[in-house]
Amino acid sequence: LATAASTLESGAKMIKGVEAAAPAVESQANSVFQPLTDLKTQLKTKPGVSALKVNLTEMSNLTKSELLHPVDQDRNDGNVCPEDEELHANLCYKKCSALTAGKYPIRT
C-alpha cells in the first residue's frame, strides 16, 4: 500500500511539473513556427497564387478510385470525361463552348 501511495505521489509531482513547463514549451513552439506562419502568409499574397485550399491529409486518405472518379460526375451518360470536358482523339479537353464563351461550340 505504501508503494502505491508513493507511486501516486510521484505521478502527481510529475503532472505538476509538466503543467508548470507547458507555457514555456508553448512559447518555444510558437517561436519556432512563427517564421513558417509568416512565410505562408507571404506566399498566399503573392500574385498568381491560387486561393484554392487543399487539405493534403484528406487527399492522401483518398483511394485511387475516389481520385479518378469524383462523386459529382455522371459516369453513366456515355461521356468518360468530366461534365465540363469532351472526348476528342481519345483525350479529355475543356469544351470549346466554355473556352470561347459560346462563340465556337464545336471542336473541329
Side-chain angles (χ1 to χ4, degrees):
L1 200 58
T3 305
S6 174
T7 302
L8 286 174
E9 186 180 342
S10 296
K13 286 180 183 177
M14 187 169 50
I15 289 172
K16 285 182 182 177
V18 168
E19 288 174 345
V25 170
E26 185 177 357
S27 174
Q28 288 177 348
N30 287 339
S31 68
V32 167
F33 288 111
Q34 190 59 49
L36 294 173
T37 303
D38 293 344
L39 179 61
K40 183 178 174 183
T41 302
Q42 288 175 7
L43 289 175
K44 283 183 175 181
T45 60
K46 293 277 185 191
V49 175
S50 172
L52 180 65
K53 293 181 181 179
V54 177
N55 185 328
L56 296 178
T57 304
E58 284 182 13
M59 286 185 66
S60 65
N61 291 334
L62 292 174
T63 65
K64 183 177 179 181
S65 177
E66 291 169 326
L67 287 169
L68 295 176
H69 301 289
V71 294
D72 61 344
Q73 300 295 322
D74 182 7
R75 296 294 177 195
N76 297 315
D77 63 356
N79 183 9
V80 297
C81 301
E83 297 301 315
D84 61 341
E85 295 182 359
E86 61 188 357
L87 188 65
H88 180 72
N90 291 326
L91 295 172
C92 292
Y93 293 93
K94 290 285 183 189
K95 291 182 178 179
C96 288
S97 58
L99 294 172
T100 63
K103 188 172 183 180
Y104 301 102
I106 301 171
R107 187 175 299 278
T108 57

